[in-house]
Amino acid sequence: MTASETRPLTATRSFPADFLWGSATAAYQIEGAAREDGRTPSIWDTFSHTPGKVFEGHTGDVAVDHYHRFRDDVRLMADLGLNAYRFSVSWSRVQPTGRGPAVQKGLDFYRRLVDELLAAGIEPALTLYHWDLPQELEDAGGWPERATAERFGDYAALVADALGDRVKRWTTLNEPWCSAFLGYGSGVHAPGRTNPVSALRAAHHLNLGHGLAVQALRSALPEGSQLSVSLNLHEIRPLTPSAEDVEAARRIDAVGNRVWLGPMLEGAYPEDLLADTAHLTDWSFVRDGDTATAHQPLDLLAINYYAPTVVSRVARGDEKPQDDGHGNSEHSPWPGADDVAFHRAPGERTAMGWPVDASALYDLLRRTADRYPGLPLVISENGAAYEDEVGPDGTVHDPERAAYVHAHLDAVHRAIADGVDVRGYFLWSLLDNFEWAYGYAKRFGAVHVDYDTLERTPKSSALWYAGVARSGELRAPGDA
């Protein structure tokens, strides 16, 4: 039973009056202008220009040209009734080498964007890092090296100094699990490295960089600023109730979730994670005081959720399904979990092949709130890709996406009704865009983009979501 099936679909759900209704994007996926105003390559520029890494050789060189069209895009947000917008800053646009002084032209773009948002009554929610490490820092070793964490703290201070008077909501990292384990473990994301020890080193330095960035932000920002980190926490379900499958779920929880939650929210790495990976590393790259630095007080915990993770334990030599939803690679993004198999969940699936199960979002919110009482939550990403087509009349009708979002918002509302402090929801994504290794083949946007003309057309799901955002009431899509 999904969350949407636990209560009548026709019932109206009223959300708190101060609930944030937003959408989200990432710099490399939408901005374009890859070589303008002092910007230098990030690891995603390099990765996308490497033959065979991205679908049909697509790149973010132009993306959807948000760098030049941001005013039109802000007007779209206003038309859709959004009161918040989550965007990321391109590190290599504002600090091209990853060290030293900022490039003012790069910062000026974000100043103009923030001013435009505020003038439209839309609250900016800024993410410092959404996977686009300056290539020069990767050439010096990237996230497996401690110096990258230190440079990230410096970068956070630069951006806070430029925008701290106008931006209240700050997120340090987006989905560090992807940065560490897809970037340095399985290699399906930039920079495309495939070493499990490098992935674990990267995870630690992302934790450390988060803590250093929070310290820098606290020093630079005015009272009342809200700081968070955005984690793609995995809602992990054992395939069967057997002790073996429950053990598989524990292993994935350790390297998927608690590798971040432990240092960031509890001040220590979980002992079982260290034991699971002891054959790979002794974790000597963790210095005294590092986990205390990572463990900084947060005002919110941001959660990205798309689908549950179903696992089982397999014996050596047995067939091992690897449908974890994170791309195809001969190398695993799950160090210390070589005996864990990943299974297709039953039921409806999106164009990404991901199962549609809003009940897992409810369970994830309840579990997180129970573990960290008193820490407010926000959904910083949730959405779905479908095979959208422009109709003969120029409209894009996407009832599947509206149904997906409705079910997941219903799960959020149910969690709130059961006492979970959820402050907002950011739909992924505002615009169709460069979907990482999938290039432009997968469309997550509420707004359709013609990649030849760059014309924007709100889909029917966007018009429905606009009604929800304006009213604060969730109605079934057919009732909008």
Side-chain angles (χ1 to χ4, degrees):
M1 178 179 290
T2 67
S4 62
E5 293 171 333
T6 61
R7 299 181 294 175
L9 283 172
T10 54
T12 297
R13 332 283 193 221
S14 296
F15 281 77
D18 58 353
F19 195 78
L20 291 174
W21 295 101
S23 64
T25 64
Y28 188 73
Q29 293 182 272
I30 67 167
E31 283 182 4
R35 299 174 185 85
E36 292 188 32
D37 295 334
R39 185 186 181 277
T40 57
S42 73
I43 55 175
W44 268 98
D45 293 276
T46 302
F47 189 79
S48 66
H49 280 270
T50 302
K53 296 297 186 182
V54 174
F55 177 77
E56 293 190 350
H58 295 169
T59 75
D61 289 0
V62 176
V64 297
D65 198 32
H66 175 73
Y67 190 77
H68 299 111
R69 299 167 185 255
F70 71 91
R71 290 187 176 88
D72 293 338
D73 291 339
V74 172
R75 280 195 289 273
L76 265 175
M77 297 177 218
D79 290 343
L80 294 177
L82 305 184
N83 61 20
Y85 172 56
R86 178 175 176 247
F87 64 95
S88 76
V89 172
S90 166
W91 190 346
S92 60
R93 192 180 295 286
V94 305
Q95 196 188 33
T97 65
R99 55 175 62 84
V103 171
Q104 291 305 312
K105 284 187 176 180
L107 285 174
D108 284 345
F109 166 69
Y110 297 105
R111 291 184 178 107
R112 292 191 298 270
L113 172 62
V114 167
D115 288 347
E116 198 77 14
L117 290 166
L118 293 173
I122 299 169
E123 187 169 356
L126 185 153
T127 299
L128 285 168
Y129 187 74
H130 199 132
W131 307 352
D132 47 357
L133 185 71
Q135 183 61 44
E136 190 163 320
L137 289 184
E138 173 60 22
D139 293 342
W143 282 110
E145 297 301 319
R146 186 180 192 86
T148 303
E150 295 166 346
R151 298 291 77 73
F152 185 61
D154 297 341
Y155 158 67
L158 287 178
V159 181
D161 182 64
L163 297 171
D165 61 333
R166 284 162 286 181
V167 176
K168 178 182 177 182
R169 299 181 183 277
W170 295 75
T171 298
T172 55
L173 304 170
N174 179 79
E175 297 186 349
W177 185 87
C178 296
S179 296
F181 297 111
L182 301 183
Y184 295 92
S186 67
V188 299
H189 277 192
R193 290 160 63 178
T194 55
N195 183 294
V197 178
S198 294
L200 291 168
R201 289 176 61 94
H204 174 63
H205 294 128
L206 283 156
N207 278 320
L208 179 62
H210 158 78
L212 293 171
V214 172
Q215 290 178 338
L217 294 173
R218 293 283 185 209
S219 296
L221 296 176
E223 195 83 15
S225 300
Q226 294 197 339
L227 275 57
S228 67
V229 64
S230 184
L231 303 178
N232 56 317
L233 296 179
H234 302 80
E235 179 57 25
I236 303 154
R237 294 174 169 175
L239 183 66
T240 75
S242 70
E244 292 81 4
D245 290 358
V246 171
E247 165 64 8
R250 182 206 60 76
R251 285 180 176 267
I252 298 306
D253 182 50
V255 76
N257 296 334
R258 289 181 287 120
V259 65
W260 317 110
L261 296 172
M264 290 182 182
L265 297 185
E266 299 171 23
Y269 284 102
E271 290 296 329
D272 60 329
L273 171 66
L274 304 183
D276 291 345
T277 56
H279 64 293
L280 297 170
T281 177
D282 61 4
W283 290 77
S284 58
F285 46 82
V286 180
R287 298 183 186 175
D288 289 346
D290 281 1
T291 53
T293 298
H295 183 210
Q296 298 296 314
L298 296 176
D299 303 293
L300 290 164
L301 177 62
I303 295 175
N304 295 355
Y305 169 84
Y306 292 93
T309 300
V310 180
V311 299
S312 69
R313 196 165 185 184
V314 295
R316 184 181 298 274
D318 287 355
E319 183 179 353
K320 187 174 75 171
Q322 278 299 111
D323 189 15
D324 64 0
H326 296 295
N328 297 317
S329 173
E330 296 177 358
H331 304 272
S332 173
W334 307 98
D338 291 340
D339 57 354
V340 175
F342 295 81
H343 299 268
R344 278 180 172 261
E348 180 188 348
R349 301 176 82 82
T350 71
M352 295 291 289
W354 298 345
V356 178
D357 186 349
S359 71
L361 175 58
Y362 171 83
D363 293 343
L364 176 60
L365 291 171
R366 282 298 304 266
R367 178 170 56 83
T368 306
D370 289 346
R371 182 159 186 159
Y372 303 106
L375 181 61
L377 308 177
V378 64
I379 304 301
S380 44
E381 287 185 25
N382 176 245
Y386 288 103
E387 303 293 341
D388 303 321
E389 295 183 2
V390 180
D393 61 353
T395 63
V396 182
H397 187 52
D398 60 337
E400 301 92 348
R401 181 174 290 104
Y404 176 100
V405 175
H406 178 273
H408 288 76
L409 280 173
D410 183 69
V412 173
H413 185 273
R414 181 178 163 215
I416 293 172
D418 289 347
V420 180
D421 186 3
V422 185
R423 301 287 179 88
Y425 177 93
F426 290 83
L427 175 66
W428 186 270
S429 174
L430 176 67
L431 302 160
D432 289 337
N433 56 46
F434 177 84
E435 186 49 43
W436 307 115
Y438 295 95
Y440 297 98
K442 304 297 182 184
R443 294 179 178 269
F444 276 86
V447 176
H448 180 274
V449 178
D450 183 315
Y451 293 128
D452 293 324
T453 67
L454 299 179
E455 180 181 0
R456 276 85 156 135
T457 303
K459 303 172 188 178
S460 61
S461 65
L463 302 178
W464 166 79
Y465 183 63
V468 175
R470 289 193 187 97
S471 67
E473 294 185 345
L474 178 64
R475 295 183 175 88
D479 299 334

